[in-house]
Amino acid sequence: MSLITNQFFIGFCINFILIYIFCKIPLMTKEGWISAGILGTILWGCFSWQGWMSVVIYLLFGSLVTKIGYKFKKEQGIAEKRGGRRGPENVWGSAATGLFFALMTKFNFANEVLFKVGFAASFSAKLADTFGSEIGKRFGKDTFLITSLKKVERGTEGGISLEGTLASILGSIFMAFIMLRLSIVTTKFHFISVAVSGFLATLTESIIGAKFQNKYKLSNELVNAIQTSIASVFAIVAIILYSYFLN
């Protein structure tokens, strides 16, 4: 294959040019932009522009929602560090699961559809988590610990609010819709599975945050990777069961 038609080379060139142009925008740290470039190159090589665009949309909306009410969240001591700019740990913590499924499609295993569903679900879960967390911290009137429903302070690990929960549902549906429009997933049932799995994994992440994160000193990035993996498993199992009972 000619170098100039190789999808990974095309992805590298496009990411290099775009990051060079836009790296002054305070969405990421320098190291974060480098990580995003590596991620983008691999995704373009695996899924062409559609996979790349889906993650660009995720990063854009995830960064924008973090900025909502940032001054208020900073005053409360619950804002994201670095003014909400994403570093390499944020990029890889959010994208590791999706990257794994993207790479699996290049090994010509039996069912590429399942890998694409897993990819889509991982990012639906992460955007749901970001929407829920950031909107909940700013606009949530009452925050409750998911495991006991005891009222807790904003920003408490495992804390949920009605406003944040609704935002999580919106984030998961929105990301699943993007995946459908970009043909990462292609059927109505795949769309539903991705959206529902993304939201359920976000609730599961809150349970992990409440019961295990502080106890075992789990980093936010590790919890993110666990959450996105759970979403992928949920969605893939749903597709397998649906296919089994349909046949």
Side-chain angles (χ1 to χ4, degrees), residues 123-133 167-169 171-172 198-199 202:
F123 285 104
S124 288
K126 195 65 201 73
L127 194 63
D129 176 47
T130 303
F131 269 43
S133 175
S168 288
I169 295 172
S172 190
F199 174 63
T202 301

Side-chain angles (χ1 to χ4, degrees), residues 49-144:
W49 70 269
Q50 292 95 331
W52 177 85
M53 180 59 70
S54 69
V55 178
V56 168
I57 292 172
Y58 155 73
L59 289 172
L60 177 61
F61 277 86
S63 296
L64 289 177
V65 78
T66 301
K67 300 288 187 181
I68 295 176
Y70 187 83
K71 182 179 180 181
F72 171 83
K73 288 181 283 190
K74 186 176 181 180
E75 290 172 352
Q76 298 292 312
I78 55 176
E80 290 290 325
K81 58 185 179 181
R82 299 183 300 243
R85 291 185 300 163
R86 298 315 202 225
E89 72 281 8
N90 303 118
V91 173
W92 298 117
S94 301
T97 301
L99 182 62
F100 167 79
F101 283 107
L103 288 170
M104 287 299 98
T105 65
K106 304 305 289 183
F107 287 95
N108 297 316
F109 289 137
N111 199 336
E112 184 178 297
V113 171
L114 294 181
F115 296 136
K116 289 185 175 181
V117 167
F119 171 86
S122 73
F123 285 104
S124 288
K126 195 65 201 73
L127 194 63
D129 176 47
T130 303
F131 269 43
S133 175
E134 297 301 329
I135 296 298
K137 286 190 291 187
R138 176 59 186 90
F139 299 107
K141 293 181 180 178
D142 296 300
T143 303
F144 302 92

Side-chain angles (χ1 to χ4, degrees), residues 35 62 98 109 143 163 174 191 211:
S35 295
F109 289 137
T143 303
E163 295 82 0
F174 173 73
F191 163 76
K211 294 186 68 68

Side-chain angles (χ1 to χ4, degrees), residues 186-230:
T186 55
T187 72
K188 183 184 294 185
F189 185 75
H190 291 173
F191 163 76
I192 294 172
S193 297
V194 166
V196 172
S197 296
F199 174 63
L200 291 179
T202 301
L203 294 180
T204 304
E205 188 264 353
S206 294
I207 295 173
I208 293 171
K211 294 186 68 68
F212 305 112
Q213 187 161 0
N214 290 330
K215 182 178 180 180
Y216 295 105
K217 296 181 172 57
L218 304 178
S219 68
N220 287 330
E221 291 70 40
L222 176 58
V223 173
N224 287 340
I226 294 171
Q227 179 215 7
T228 53
S229 298
I230 289 171

